[in-house]
């Protein structure tokens, strides 16, 4: 099996083995072993909770080095709307886009524009009427991965339409090919990303065989490069075309309000989303047509690679739009766009928690897990490096841990050994006499 | 190696925001066993409904699950008031849930009919004043007898 690539990784040097992260991971994908955290790759959904919670900043998202853009003859920056909201002095969108271009790109593409088209495509998809209710937005890749590994029965409910970055990359590249005549493999599209999950979905894409996004640059990094440029920027180009409808995708609730769907809910924060998905799976939420769910609190403005406090950032949308002169967009709605936006590869459930391919073997293992669990203190203290006693029991059966990783078990064992030694000593000294 | 797994869950009757825990735990176990999503879903919904009934109508109880390679059997039992007329209780829309519960979105009288829909077998044993047990069986794919 191909190794599953994902973006969240550990900076081993910085990790102190403190176990803070293990209980904050919604899919129990982190263990502390030999004094360092380890991520179980296939369980990680890249939600970034561990990045946010690590006191030593030892969890990071792998992104591309900025210099990678120069591997391509023609360089496109795909700019997420959350980028517009990162600046204290609220520069207008034209200035931000011009500034990004000045960093070395030939073209900037507003992902918000693609978001508008995705909204249009979703509307059309809903009108066609052939789907499982309620629909779940496919915009946040962390949530899609969560559904894939933890909520199998909701897999058919995910809207089978590309996320705005993927559609954006397609639109921007098509345009570049037509306008410049440059060969497709010489055109690089780079996404300025607010999170790890979106990096992952350029490697393990959703809905397509391979992603058209060639790399991802951290929003934080780009921000630092952009600040000095913005200070001296004069006469920005008229580049902004995206409207409120697309830009509001940056915060949670934006996608549903753009859809104008009547019975929708928007949920943010991974733990809240899990609760709602549980309820959906139990069929206890009636009367809901559309669920917008973001792993980050506040939506993408709360992404782990953003700079600004998400609550503050959200309030800036309207004032920034007021500052900006919008130009008419060159992208009109068409059937071609609809066809391009539809998934080519269906979403599949992944049984990452399965103990064994053979049911009877799996049952035997499960029984052993229960037995081991019964013998553990059931305090879920986390000192063993697993998030719960159940998880440790499972790790032992999977061969990743041993019972004496539990400090209580270890103490018991040491006590017993000490007692045995005393006994032995007594015996041997008895003989000597 | 024995050929079945037995699990036991207490269902707390005091706090019904906690209800659903047995259902979630069972779901997790079935995932570890590699049971197909469709079956997991049917089990989860059925257990959830039975669990809710146990909390709302009977003040709590317990769930016992036995899994063998052919089927999943779940029994949700309580020492509550019992059901005087089971046939009536099984009817869609029949509910004795008080208003306070209905305001919270329960009490549509769809729980038992849903369980009937999603399980292969359902048996209700009940004694007025003594309690109720709801036994549910779901066959694992390919093992369904001809019903
Ligand atoms: N464990 C139980 N103990 C006592 N009475 C029960 C029990 N389970 C169900 N009942 C009775 O059967 C009726 C029908 O149950 P059912 O689950 O179908 O509907 P409900 O619980 O009232 O509403 P809903 O399940 O739609 O929220 C209940 O209103 C109640 O009178
Ligand atoms: S909410 Fe947005 S920023 Fe956060 S993980 Fe999902 S896609 Fe990334
Ligand atoms: Mg009920």
């Amino acid at each position: 099996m191909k190794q599953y690539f994902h973006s969240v990784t550990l900076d081993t040097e910085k990790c102190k083995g403190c176990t803070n992260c293990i209980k904050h991971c919604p899919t129990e994908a982190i263990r502390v072993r030999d004094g360092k955290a380890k991520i179980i790759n296939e369980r990680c959904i890249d939600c970034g909770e561990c990045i946010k919670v690590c006191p030593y900043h030892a969890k990071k998202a792998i992104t591309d080095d900025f210099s990678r853009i120069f591997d391509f003859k023609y360089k496109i920056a795909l700019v997420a709307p959350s980028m517009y909201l990162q600046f204290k002095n609220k520069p207008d969108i034209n200035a931000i886009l011009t500034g990004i271009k000045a960093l070395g790109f030939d073209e900037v593409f507003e992902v918000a524009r693609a978001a508008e088209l995705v909204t249009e495509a979703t509307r059309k998809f809903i009108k066609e009427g052939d789907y499982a209710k309620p629909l779940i937005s496919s915009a946040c890749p962390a949530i899609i991965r969560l559904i894939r590994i933890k909520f199998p029965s909701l897999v058919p409910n995910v809207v089978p339409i590309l996320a705005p970055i993927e559609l954006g990359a397609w639109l921007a590249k098509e345009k570049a090919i037509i306008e410049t005549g440059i060969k497709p493999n010489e055109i690089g599209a780079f996404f300025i990303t607010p999170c790890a999950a979106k990096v992952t979905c350029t490697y393990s894409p959703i809905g397509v065989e391979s992603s058209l996004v060639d790399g991802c640059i951290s929003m934080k990094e780009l921000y630092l490069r952009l600040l000095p440029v913005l200070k001296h920027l004069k006469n920005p180009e008229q580049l902004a075309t995206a409207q409120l409808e697309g830009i509001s995708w940056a915060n949670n609730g934006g996608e549903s309000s753009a859809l104008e769907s009547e019975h929708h809910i928007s949920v943010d924060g991974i733990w809240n989303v899990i609760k709602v998905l549980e309820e959906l799976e139990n069929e206890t939420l009636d009367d809901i047509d559309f669920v917008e769910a973001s792993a980050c609190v506040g939506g993408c403005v709360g992404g782990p690679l953003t700079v600004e406090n998400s609550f503050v950032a959200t309030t800036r949308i309207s004032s920034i739009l007021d500052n900006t002169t919008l130009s008419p967009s060159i992208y009109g709605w068409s059937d071609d766009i609809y066809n391009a936006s539809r998934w080519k590869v269906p979403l599949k459930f992944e049984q990452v928690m399965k103990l064994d391919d053979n049911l009877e073997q799996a049952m035997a293992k499960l029984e052993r897990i229960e037995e081991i669990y019964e013998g553990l203190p059931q305090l879920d203290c986390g000192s063993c490096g697993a998030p719960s006693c159940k998880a440790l029991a499972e790790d032992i059966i999977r061969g990743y841990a041993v019972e004496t990783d539990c400090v209580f078990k270890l103490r018991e064992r040491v006590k017993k050994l000490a007692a045995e030694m005393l006994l032995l000593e007594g015996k041997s000294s008895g003989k000597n006499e | 190696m024995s050929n079945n797994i037995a699990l036991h869950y207490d269902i707390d009757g005091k706090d019904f925001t906690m209800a659903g825990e047995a259902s979630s735990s069972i779901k997790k176990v079935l995932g570890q066993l590699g049971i197909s999503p469709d079956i997991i879903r049917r089990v989860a919904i059925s257990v959830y409904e039975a669990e809710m009934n146990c909390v709302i109508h009977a003040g709590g109880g317990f769930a016992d699950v036995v899994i063998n390679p052919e089927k999943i059997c779940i029994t949700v039992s309580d020492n509550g008031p019992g059901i005087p007329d089971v046939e009536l209780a099984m009817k869609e829309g029949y509910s004795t849930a008080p208003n306070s519960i209905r305001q919270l979105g329960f009490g549509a009288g769809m729980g038992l009919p849903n369980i009937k829909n999603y399980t292969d077998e359902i048996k209700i044993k009940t004694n007025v004043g003594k309690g109720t047990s709801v036994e549910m069986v779901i066959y694992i794919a390919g093992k369904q007898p001809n019903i």
Side-chain angles (χ1 to χ4, degrees):
Chain A
M1 203 175 85
K2 202 175 81 186
Q3 247 241 310
Y4 173 67
F5 170 88
H6 70 101
S7 169
V8 174
T9 36
L10 184 81
D11 189 333
T12 342
E13 298 227 319
K14 286 187 182 164
C15 177
K16 302 256 192 293
C18 69
T19 73
N20 266 315
C21 53
I22 57 178
K23 283 185 193 250
H24 282 92
C25 174
T27 57
E28 299 198 331
I30 312 176
R31 300 292 183 271
V32 175
R33 292 270 166 266
D34 305 322
K36 299 282 174 195
K38 288 201 171 59
I39 300 172
I40 303 171
N41 291 335
E42 64 275 15
R43 288 189 201 173
C44 175
I45 59 169
D46 287 291
C47 63
E49 284 296 298
C50 56
I51 298 184
K52 292 173 195 162
V53 85
C54 177
Y56 306 103
H57 306 290
K59 296 285 196 329
K60 55 182 187 194
I62 296 186
T63 50
D64 285 289
D65 199 68
F66 187 80
S67 62
R68 262 212 58 215
I69 72 166
F70 301 106
D71 293 351
F72 293 86
K73 188 166 167 189
Y74 192 85
K75 311 154 196 70
I76 304 168
L78 303 165
V79 185
S82 42
M83 185 76 204
Y84 307 158
L85 310 175
Q86 303 300 316
F87 303 89
K88 292 223 158 30
N89 58 343
K90 302 178 220 164
D92 78 80
I93 298 171
N94 287 310
I96 296 171
L97 295 173
T98 309
I100 293 175
K101 222 172 150 182
L103 293 174
F105 291 97
D106 299 288
E107 178 75 280
V108 282
F109 180 89
E110 293 185 87
V111 175
R113 194 55 198 99
E116 288 164 12
L117 298 172
V118 169
T119 298
E120 201 58 49
T122 308
R123 275 195 204 119
K124 187 169 156 83
F125 176 76
I126 291 176
K127 243 193 226 136
E128 287 174 359
D130 183 19
Y131 55 84
K133 245 186 169 184
L135 285 171
I136 302 173
S137 154
S138 52
C140 174
I143 300 303
I144 303 218
R145 177 110 194 119
L146 175 73
I147 291 174
R148 274 181 94 161
I149 66 171
K150 259 190 118 168
F151 295 94
S153 63
L154 299 177
V155 166
N157 297 56
V158 179
V159 181
I161 288 172
L162 294 181
I165 27 168
E166 201 54 53
L167 184 66
W170 178 74
L171 289 167
K173 282 189 166 177
E174 290 285 295
K175 177 169 172 276
I177 294 167
I178 294 167
E179 285 178 1
T180 67
I182 294 174
K183 281 191 237 125
N185 62 357
E186 289 178 327
I187 302 174
F190 288 82
F191 178 58
I192 316 302
T193 186
C195 67
K198 283 178 167 158
V199 180
T200 301
C201 77
T202 64
Y203 286 89
S204 313
I206 297 163
V208 280
E209 283 296 346
S210 65
S211 172
L212 288 173
V213 180
D214 299 286
C216 291
I217 293 158
S218 153
M219 194 169 279
K220 264 187 194 156
E221 187 191 338
L222 198 91
Y223 175 87
L224 289 177
R225 287 174 187 268
L226 195 54
L227 271 188
V229 177
L230 283 182
K231 247 186 211 148
H232 306 289
L233 190 84
K234 280 181 207 105
N235 308 324
E237 262 183 86
Q238 293 301 306
L239 297 166
T241 64
Q243 313 273 332
L244 178 64
E245 195 180 83
I247 295 171
S248 57
W249 273 58
N251 43 353
N252 184 56
E255 185 187 358
S256 346
S257 62
L259 254 186
E260 292 159 13
S261 106
E262 242 177 75
H263 302 284
H264 72 261
I265 50 171
S266 22
V267 209
D268 59 343
I270 190 77
W271 299 98
N272 296 331
V273 172
I274 289 177
K275 259 195 212 149
V276 166
L277 296 180
E278 288 267 352
E279 290 192 40
L280 285 178
E281 204 160 51
N282 289 341
E283 297 193 344
T284 51
L285 292 178
D286 319 323
D287 301 333
I288 292 174
D289 298 333
F290 188 81
V291 179
E292 178 182 347
S294 335
C296 299
V297 173
C300 295
V301 283
L305 301 179
T306 57
V307 180
E308 187 56 283
N309 172 317
S310 67
F311 299 98
V312 176
T314 305
T315 60
R316 290 185 185 146
I317 293 193
S318 54
S319 60
I320 286 173
L321 263 176
D322 284 346
N323 288 348
T324 304
T325 321
L326 294 178
S327 316
S329 171
I330 57 155
Y331 297 105
W333 175 246
S334 72
D335 278 346
D336 283 351
I337 291 181
Y338 184 57
N339 293 334
S341 74
R342 293 293 301 266
W343 280 359
K344 311 294 177 290
V345 183
L347 199 64
K348 272 206 215 93
F349 170 50
E350 275 177 53
Q351 295 186 311
V352 296
M353 302 308 289
K354 192 160 68 172
L355 292 164
D356 202 290
D357 286 336
N358 175 294
L359 177 59
E360 276 164 56
Q361 289 295 333
M363 284 177 58
K365 287 185 182 170
L366 193 70
E367 230 182 345
R368 287 282 300 131
I369 291 175
E370 289 294 326
E371 273 168 33
I372 293 172
Y373 174 70
E374 285 307 315
L376 292 173
Q378 305 185 7
L379 295 170
D380 296 340
C381 73
S383 324
C384 60
S388 65
C389 299
K390 256 283 162 50
L392 179 69
E394 193 185 318
D395 288 351
I396 294 172
I397 289 303
R398 289 188 194 264
Y400 304 144
V402 290
E403 216 162 346
T404 44
D405 282 333
C406 168
V407 285
F408 298 91
K409 284 278 162 191
L410 183 66
R411 205 193 286 164
E412 249 172 53
R413 181 71 162 284
V414 171
K415 256 192 201 152
K416 219 170 124 201
L417 275 178
E420 277 170 17
M421 294 239 295
L422 271 179
L423 209 68
L424 269 177
E425 214 168 84
K427 268 185 194 159
S428 54
S429 55
K431 239 181 231 165
N432 282 347
E433 260 170 44
Chain B
M1 185 173 110
S2 77
N3 246 340
N4 63 55
I5 287 175
L7 304 163
H8 178 87
Y9 302 94
D10 288 324
I11 300 168
D12 187 344
K14 286 184 281 307
D15 179 2
F16 81 88
T17 56
M18 299 265 289
E21 289 204 336
S23 163
S24 311
S25 310
I26 296 169
K27 221 158 46 179
K28 197 174 154 201
V29 166
L30 297 180
Q32 288 174 311
L33 294 178
I35 304 288
S36 78
D38 174 54
I39 292 191
I40 297 182
R41 177 170 160 264
R42 289 166 54 207
V43 173
I45 296 174
S46 307
V47 176
Y48 180 80
E49 289 290 359
E51 219 179 323
M52 265 342 265
N53 281 352
C54 184
V55 174
I56 292 177
H57 307 297
F62 38 91
D64 282 288
V65 186
V66 178
I67 306 167
N68 69 34
E70 279 81 46
K71 60 188 179 187
I72 302 157
C73 309
I74 313 110
T75 307
V76 175
S77 333
D78 62 64
N79 301 314
I83 305 175
D85 185 341
V86 174
E87 210 178 309
L88 189 60
M90 293 295 293
K91 285 218 167 83
E92 282 187 19
Y94 175 80
S95 173
T96 59
N99 255 336
S100 58
I101 293 285
R102 280 170 207 257
Q103 272 159 6
L104 295 165
F106 302 99
M110 286 308 291
L112 291 175
N114 260 344
I115 298 178
K116 194 171 163 51
N117 261 336
Y118 285 120
T119 54
D120 293 315
E121 290 164 24
I122 170 174
K123 214 183 284 165
I124 299 180
K125 295 182 184 155
T126 180
N127 249 322
V128 174
K130 291 219 173 100
T132 304
S133 85
V134 180
E135 296 174 25
M136 300 166 274
V137 179
I138 290 176
Y139 289 90
I140 293 169
K143 302 274 166 64
Q144 261 118 320
N146 293 323
I147 0 174

